[in-house]
Amino acid sequence: MVKIENLVKNYGDFRLNISMEIPAGTVSGIVGRNGAGKSTTIKAILGLIRPCGGSVTVFGADDAALTVRDRQKIGVALPDSGFSGYLSLRDIIKILAAMYPDFDPERFRSECEKSGLPMDKRIREFSTGMKAKLKVLAACSHGAKLLILDEPTAGLDVIARREVLDLLRGYLAEDPERSMLISSHISSDLEGICDDIYMLHNGRVVLHEETDRILGEYAVLRLSAAQYERIDKEYILRVKEEPFGYTCLINQKRFYLENYPDIVIESGSIDDMIIMMTEGQ
């Protein structure tokens, strides 16, 4: 569905240099600290910026060669995009119908009603959660085969986040060939929906792993200096020195559970992975 090979983009002192792939039917997450290159990657896929090197292919074609019809198969929600606050949903239906031949106005209206979005209110009167739902519903309104969402749940409370993610799960479940790339600073959102995770740091992919394996086999060890000295370090990915000793990120939790029953082993999370991969040695 999407293939990035040795993509390079330079912004002053920042250099993005990555490769990644999103097969058909896959939900991929992209994580990293602010400035890691997440939004730059998304803009490169969408053709919003011109790479300095490498290639991006979408639907098997070079990004620059995508037709209007190809681009209509992509649904997008970006933090700095949205509809004018002076429009109502009735106005937006007309706009989407003019832009996308496959737009289904009846379904869009029905989904908006289910999500509690009023037809006649202006968008500027919507809550933050309502605006986020509208972005996602618009991205899913025209039968897109590929969804690209940059921080779709940012600023939302836990209920609104769950509702947005449920919208996405329902849409993806309708067609097993649909794919999605989603970025978020809220790791629990990605853990519940992504098949795999790409972690970016300083413009590079520093880790690519299946989500189930991150949650099942990755873990954090809390070790005294003496424990660290005697432990087998074969499966330690990163080490961070602490006042009490050492924190270690590992990718073989079972090995350490079986061989070191006396040490503290905490189940891993995407947050742990980000902290350790960026701050550890």
Side-chain angles (χ1 to χ4, degrees), residues 40-185:
T40 301
T41 300
I42 287 173
K43 289 176 181 178
I45 295 172
L46 294 174
L48 299 177
I49 59 174
R50 187 184 296 277
C52 302
S55 65
V56 179
T57 57
V58 181
F59 306 133
D62 185 86
D63 182 73
L66 290 178
T67 65
V68 171
R69 184 60 175 159
D70 290 331
R71 295 190 182 279
Q72 289 170 344
K73 297 176 184 176
I74 305 174
V76 181
L78 303 177
D80 53 357
S81 68
F83 298 99
S84 168
Y86 292 95
L87 299 176
S88 69
L89 289 184
R90 296 189 189 280
D91 299 320
I92 290 170
I93 288 173
K94 295 176 184 177
I95 293 170
L96 293 174
M99 292 176 63
Y100 300 105
D102 295 329
F103 173 69
D104 185 340
E106 292 307 316
R107 173 170 178 169
F108 180 73
R109 186 177 290 107
S110 174
E111 292 295 332
C112 286
E113 290 174 355
K114 289 179 187 176
S115 297
L117 305 184
M119 281 288 126
D120 296 311
K121 265 191 178 182
R122 291 185 177 183
I123 305 304
R124 66 180 181 179
E125 300 175 52
F126 281 19
S127 67
T128 301
M130 293 165 72
K131 291 176 182 176
K133 291 179 193 175
L134 175 57
K135 282 186 181 184
V136 170
L137 287 172
C140 299
S141 68
H142 48 91
K145 286 288 187 181
L146 172 64
L147 294 178
I148 299 180
L149 311 177
D150 192 2
E151 299 287 348
T153 59
L156 305 186
D157 62 43
V158 64
I159 300 300
R161 292 200 336 258
R162 185 190 65 193
E163 290 172 346
V164 168
L165 293 171
D166 284 345
L167 288 173
L168 293 171
R169 288 189 187 96
Y171 184 76
L172 294 167
E174 293 175 2
D175 184 347
E177 292 296 302
R178 285 173 176 162
S179 298
M180 180 169 74
L181 176 65
I182 177 172
S183 78
S184 178
H185 282 97

Side-chain angles (χ1 to χ4, degrees), residues 232 235 250 252-260 265:
D232 188 325
Y235 303 113
I250 60 171
Q252 292 289 344
K253 180 169 68 174
R254 186 173 303 175
F255 172 83
Y256 290 95
L257 286 171
E258 292 175 351
N259 292 281
Y260 300 94
I265 303 177

Side-chain angles (χ1 to χ4, degrees), residues 221-223 239-248 275-276 279:
L221 309 181
R222 309 289 184 185
L223 307 173
V239 178
K240 185 180 179 185
E241 191 167 1
E242 309 277 13
F244 60 80
Y246 297 90
T247 297
C248 303
I275 292 169
M276 291 301 298
E279 297 182 2

